[in-house]
Structure formats: structure tokens, C-alpha cells
Amino acid sequence: MDYDYLIKLLCVGDSGVGKTSFLYKYTDGVFHTQFISTVGIDFREKTVIYQQNARQHRIHLQLWDTAGQERFRSLTTAFYRDAMGFLLLFDLTNEASFLEVRNWIEQLKTHSLSDDPDIVLCGHKCDLQEKRLVNQNRAREFAKNYNLLYLETSAKTGQNIDRAIEILLDKIMYRMETSVEYAMLCASGRRRQSLQRLQAKQDRKLCSC
Amino acid sequence: MEFNECHLNEVSDLVGIDIYSDRSQTPSPTPVLNTNVCCDLEDILSDAISESLQSSLRVSRSQLINQELTIRPEANIESNIPEGLDLYKVIFEVENDSDFKMNNLEGTSQTNSSKNQESCRHVGGSKFYEVVDGSSSGVTSTPSPTEKQDHMKPIESDDEVSDVDQECTVFCGVSYLGAQNIADPKSETDIQRIMKELSSMPENRDGIAVSISIPVCSQGLVVLYQADTNSVMTRYAVNRISFYARGAAGSPVASCFAFTWSHGETKESAVYRCHVFRCHIAEAVNQVSSCFAKAFERVPRSMASSLVGDLSAAPSMTGSLTEGLGPAAPPMQLMHVLECTVDIKETDAKGTFSHVPKERLGYKLRGGIDKQVTINVTQVTNNVQSESEDTQGYTGGLYIERCFGILLAPGRSVKHSDMQLLEMVSGSSGGSGCSVCALWNAGESALAAFNVASGDGAPAYMSLALDLVIRGIRDPLRLVIETPVKVYPPSERFWYYSKRPLVQQFYINLKESVDSLGQLQYEVASVETSGELDRSRLNLPLSLSSLLPSPLSTAPAPPSPSEPDSDGDEPLLSGTGEVSKDCGVDVLENWAQVLRSWIGPRPRALSQLVRVGVPEALRGEVWLRLAGVDQTDKLMETYRTLISKDCPFEAVIQRDIARTFPAHDFFREAGGLGQDSLLRMARAYAVYDVEVGYCQGLSFLAATLLLHNLNSQMRYYPQ
């Protein structure tokens, strides 16, 4: 398959918050109530076209689906290092999963390559309004404190599923772009420096003459 | 109350419980056992290899009924029911398997063919045999070898709707308390009143002991059998039942149930009578109610619109049917249901035909190979009031006079002109069903599209059409079957081999009209189809047939690295797969020897056998023995204490229960038996193994064990 970039995203969150459903909805556009619990790790793929500064990139997304249970933590954390962005899900109908978000952020910061990884926080299952236990403002406040983007999503209705990934992709692409530019800047800066040094040398030469 | 001539019986006394019929219910307080579980596997095994029993294992439903079975596999069940358990509330679901029928005709007709040939009569082109009441004489008739040629259901005539040739649930231990006229058949208060009256009548203290058989769909019949003689007392068509109600809980009639049925042939002359029954065990009413609810619920699509909202949701289980199905409908309905079974075979190098594998995504054809297409048409319309043998009228269902060949075309929604008539090999018709076999010549230019492997513009669908000439209908009736296909290169070898037949039902609505000569004619108003029926769901997962090699597996495909079909549009749900149950006779024989000699240490031959694979049906038993479990009593005691303890992983387990093989029949229902047993097992393990506790993925192991009946008691142990 042809693509310009391969981007690996990781989906984390407590057991049963809907990570698998989220990813299936995104890649296949279907919602099933009959998913099995993810044992260990799994992944889904999708190729998207990403528009950036009037240029089109074909991006191959590798979406890693992790097991939520604590017991698999040692296994799943090994995958954090390779991921470029994270989808952190919690269940709006399950308060404990929201309280765990803090821990998840800690985990991500410790195990991911960057100290400040790109994370999108998703309050999942927002179609179940009557069962909802986590207030929108509360979640928003929390996200603000941690400087995260917050979205309310639902795999059943498909609400914000695509958007969450797009936002994450934006962040990653921005980071890539800036780091590439920075690298180029550094490279060009070094060249300038060396030129200066050369000139200085020459100046000295001239002087010594 | 009419007492019909006794026809077919034998089913009701087969004691066994079907756990699948009532998945919607949480396990009743009465311990429930399962037919599959209770059979002593070793018995079955040794039975299976003995020649005399092979035929009885293959016994199909119709055979069960028409033949005095000297040996029944189910007989083991009774002996396995612990004594003292009040277990006569039993259900026996008859399995519907068309493969079965074919086998058993060949298997058993030779042995019994000599009996009772004199009592046959002719209807149309078919012969029908009077069935002597098995319970009184002990001698029954079976199809003669000649009748073997008459495909599918040889004993079923179009006027004699075989009441047991339907899937049904039989309840024993029921008393019939009588019937009373009722003015408003849908008034529940009236029914409750009649129930009270009839049950309080002193002469009705015992009622008539009966067994009642409730079909699983609205096409069927509710049949009453006399409890002691097992003869059919009467039959009630489900579609003429206008209301079902059970006695109000807590009242004296809590163990009663009743339904109103329209007697009389036409709408005007209809008389509604309320028939009242009492169960010997009050809890059984729940089961009866849910069976009725199911019977009302499962309506062919064309009829479904006339059903009242959601019957299943009604907690009181009062199912009622409104217009269209109830008394308001003309009792002589002109809807007929035809069922088509399609079978495709391919020639192989040796010139013999072997079945084409069929997956969830359709047939897997090999391009450029001659094929043979067989279509069997049977009638599933149940029309009870027809007692006449007059096949001209519509009382006995459709009379198929002739059947043209099979037409075939690539694609869907094909025009008639684009369809290619296949060369007919054989065909039999005349009567309520017909069977055609035609040759599909791969060299035919019109069908060349099927010779290109999928992916290169090959068709994703094929259309099969069958034209039937039906007596009384002017134009031939066309049945079109569209099914997905995938074409592979001729050299392709299939490793995953599933060969369930394609079954599709057609609902044919007829319209009366009078032609120029004043003759009554019928026209086809509409033909609707059910789409493919998933027959596999109706089958029990571990039927005894699994022990016998199917004729199709004579040339097993060699292992190849090819992957199972997973490139479907929808995600493959966990639990949808099929386990191959085929296993050769010699393999079974070896296992039988090993199991017999396995007392104490493991026999030497065992490891050899295990390496090849334990046959599906024996796994439960073999695993238990390998684990060295012999004292189940002690084990059960431990288990009982374990499940009574609090489990710290309760919430985690709960969350995973619904996510374990969610597509599998046994675990599909939330709160059903499967999920319940699984929950208990997982909890017990979490308490037992403190270090591991519960770990995601454990539930799949537990589920596998449950599916292999590893411990029937664990499965059903009441909490």
C-alpha cells in the first residue's frame, strides 16, 4: 500500500469504556454491541488523505487498541513508546473510569517517548444521556487543567469519532512540521555559523598578513 | 373438544430438557439438565460404533415418530436424572435437519421395509402410509425402499399436516381442564374468569392428563397428546389462537394457562372457545408462556406486520394477536410457504461430485468446473382443517404438478432473458414438494462469468430460478434465489469446509379470481422471500450426528495455509465460527478402545490419539479424564462453597461476560443460562486462585469448557 506517512496512535482507557467500539466505528463505520473484550493488544488500520498547506498527504493510520484491565498494563505500556498520539477514553456513564484518567495521563507521560505527548481526551458513550454520571463542565474543567483537548464521543451515533482522530492528527502533523522546520532551522543555522567562522578565519588571515 | 384419530406419537415421552429453547429465561429454580450433557459419552461412543445403533443415531424427526424405536439415544438421559428430582417438567425440542432425513432414509428403510406395506394409499403421485399407533401395537410402518426415491418428506401428505414434523417444545404433566365458549376472545378478564371457574369445578380437580406440544413459530400447531397413551388428542393451529393468558400470579389459578381458539371454518361461523390447562408444577407456566410468546413472535415477514407491538416485552406474557392472524382473518388463508433447499456440487478429478463449501459469505465455487445444482422444494404451510384428500382445492396446500428446470445467471436482479436454463438431470414432482437436479456446464458461454476468479470482475452474486406449475394457478410460479458467491481458481483447495445447505422460504400470497368459464382460478398476488434462513442456529451444537462421518467428508481437503474468509464487510463476531464435527469411524473406534481400557493410568495409545485431535463430541469427557477428575461429588462441594463466597472481581467479570463469544448461541442472551454459568464459573475461579484472580481472557477459557459440557453440574448448579 502506498502512503506518505505511517502514524501510530494508541487508544487507552479503563476496561469497558468502549475503545474497541470507538476504533471499529472509525475504521469500519459500524457499531456492534457484541465485541469481545480485548485481550492484550489489537490494532486496526485506515488510510486517510490529509490536507496540509495545500499539499495532500496519504497517511496510513495504525490504531492500536489496548486491553483496559490493570493486569495488562505491563504489556500495553511497552507500546506507548511507539505511539505518536494517544486517544484517552473514559466512560461518561462510569465515574470510576473518569477518575482513572489522571492515572492514565501519568502513565502516558512516564512511558511515552515525549514528556508532553499529544493526547485527546474523549468522554465516550455520550448517547447514553440518561445514564450519564460525568458532567460535561467537570470533564471540560479537568481537561483544561491538564491542557488536553476534550470531546464527547459516541460510537453508537458516530458523534465526534472522526473529529477526535482528526484533531489528534492535526496535533501530530503540526508537531512533525515544527520539528522538521526546527531541524532545518538548526541545520541552516549551523551552516551560517560555520560560514561566519570561516569568514572570521579569513579575516584573521587577512589580518595576519 | 374433538378427538382426532391417533396418528403420530412417540415424541412426548422422550424425556430430555432442552436448554436452548428458553434462553430468554433465567434458570428456573428447578434444576435443569441438558440432553447433550446427560448422555454418558462413553455409552454413546460404544453405541456409535456398533452397527445396529448407527441407524438409530441418524434417526430424524419423522423417523422418531413413525417408528417404534427400540433403542433411543435419549434413553440414557432418563437414567441420568438424579433420583428424587421432580423433573417431569420436561421439554424436548426436536431438531430439524434435512441432511438427517436423507441419511436415515437410507439407513433404516432396509431393516423395516417389510412391515405394513398393505396400509398405503395414494395421493397424487405419492404414496402415503397409514401409521399404526406405536404405543398400542409396537409395530409401525416405515417408508418402503421404493419410496426412498420420493425425496424429502415421504410420509407427509398435504392434507395430513404432521404435527411433529415441526420444531416444538413438549410439556408433560399438564392437565386439560376443558373449554368454555367465550364471547370476546381477547378479553383477558373473561379468560381469567373462565380459568377460575374451570379450575374450581370439583370434577376438574385432576382434569385430563395430557402433554402439550408448542411449536416454535406461528406456522405450527399446538398439539395435545394423551399423557398415558401418547396419542394425539387434538391440534390447534397457532395462527387461529387469538389470545393466550396465564393465571394471575399468586391467585389459585397461578399454575393455569389458557388460550382462545376460533372453531369453525369461516369468519361468520367462528365460535371462540377458551381452553384451560393446568401445569402440575406451577413454575412450568413461565416456560409455557414463553414458548407461546415465541410461537406468536416468530412470524414470517409478510405476516409480521399484523402482529401487535412487542409481545416479548410484556412481562405478564399475555400474547395477543390482532387482525390478520386472529379470528378476524379469513380462516382459509391463501398464503402458502414453500421452502427451497439448494445444494451445489462440483465434479472433481475422479468424476465424482462433492459439495461446494459454503461460508457465511456464500458459496465458494471453483471456476471452470462442471457443477450440479439440486433444489428441493417442500411445503411448510400448516393447514389443519383440511381433512379431505382433495388436492384440487386449496385446503391441503399447493399441489405442484410439474417443475421446469433450473435457470441460472450471474449477478442479482437478473432479467429473465439473461438466465440460462440448465440441463436437467433428474426431477420429481407431483404433490406437495418437488426436487430437481440440473447440470451446470462450465463451458456454457452464458455462464462464463463464473469461470473467472473473484476480484477480476467476477460476479459477487448468482441468481437461481425455479419455475413451478401449480394446480389451479394459471401462470407458472417463479422462485428466485439470489445468493452471494465467490469464485476461486480451479486448482483452489479449501481447508475450511462448511457445507450447510442454503435454505430459503417463499411466502406466496394467492388471489382468487373467476375465469371466463366460471371456474375458480388463483393468481399469484405476491411472492416474498425470507432470505436465507440460518438453519445452523436451530441445531443443537453437539448433536449426536456429529459423531458420524458425513458422506461429504470422504475426501478431506489437505491442509493449506490459506486463511479463512475474513475479508467481509462486517467485522467477524466472536463465536460465529463453526467447529468441524466430522470424524471417521476408525478414529471413533480407536477412541472407544482407549476409553474402555482407561481405568487408572493413561493408556499408551492415548497420546497418539490426542495428537491427532480429540473429536469434538468427546472433548468434555476426555479432558475431564486427563485432568484426573473422578470424584465429582467432592468437587461439587468445593464449587458450591466457592460460588457462595464474595468475589472481589465481580465487577470486572460482569463486564466481560457479555463480551465473551457474544455471537455464540449459548452466550448470546444477557442473563441467559450461558452467561449465568459463565459468570459463576469465572467467579469461582477468581475466588479459588487468589493469585490470578480474574484476568481478561479467562472467560474465553471458561466458555470453551462450558461448551464442551465439561461439568454439567457446574453449568446448571442453581445458586
Side-chain angles (χ1 to χ4, degrees), chain B residues 256-267:
Chain B
C256 294
F257 62 94
F259 58 80
T260 52
W261 200 67
S262 67
H263 296 254
E265 295 303 304
T266 62
K267 197 177 162 186

Side-chain angles (χ1 to χ4, degrees), chain B residues 260-338:
Chain B
T260 52
W261 200 67
S262 67
H263 296 254
E265 295 303 304
T266 62
K267 197 177 162 186
E268 288 73 36
S269 68
V271 177
Y272 300 106
R273 282 170 74 77
C274 174
H275 300 266
V276 181
F277 300 84
R278 182 166 54 212
C279 292
H280 296 173
I281 288 186
E283 286 77 26
V285 180
N286 295 330
Q287 307 258 339
V288 174
S289 302
S290 69
C291 282
F292 268 105
K294 212 160 81 178
F296 292 158
E297 211 176 330
R298 280 222 217 148
V299 177
R301 209 169 45 182
S302 59
M303 293 165 81
S305 53
S306 53
L307 261 176
V308 178
D310 56 1
L311 298 170
S312 52
S316 64
M317 279 309 190
T318 45
S320 71
L321 301 162
T322 53
E323 285 69 42
L325 283 182
M332 302 275 285
Q333 43 165 291
L334 291 174
M335 199 192 82
H336 296 269
V337 184
L338 290 177

Side-chain angles (χ1 to χ4, degrees), chain B residues 69-101:
Chain B
L69 292 176
T70 42
I71 313 133
R72 285 190 301 255
E74 287 82 0
N76 290 329
I77 296 153
E78 286 162 301
S79 57
N80 273 299
I81 295 173
E83 275 192 19
L85 282 179
D86 205 359
L87 253 176
Y88 62 95
K89 275 291 139 314
V90 287
I91 310 157
F92 178 72
E93 185 164 48
V94 191
E95 176 178 346
N96 183 3
D97 192 328
S98 51
D99 274 349
F100 248 18
K101 265 174 214 159

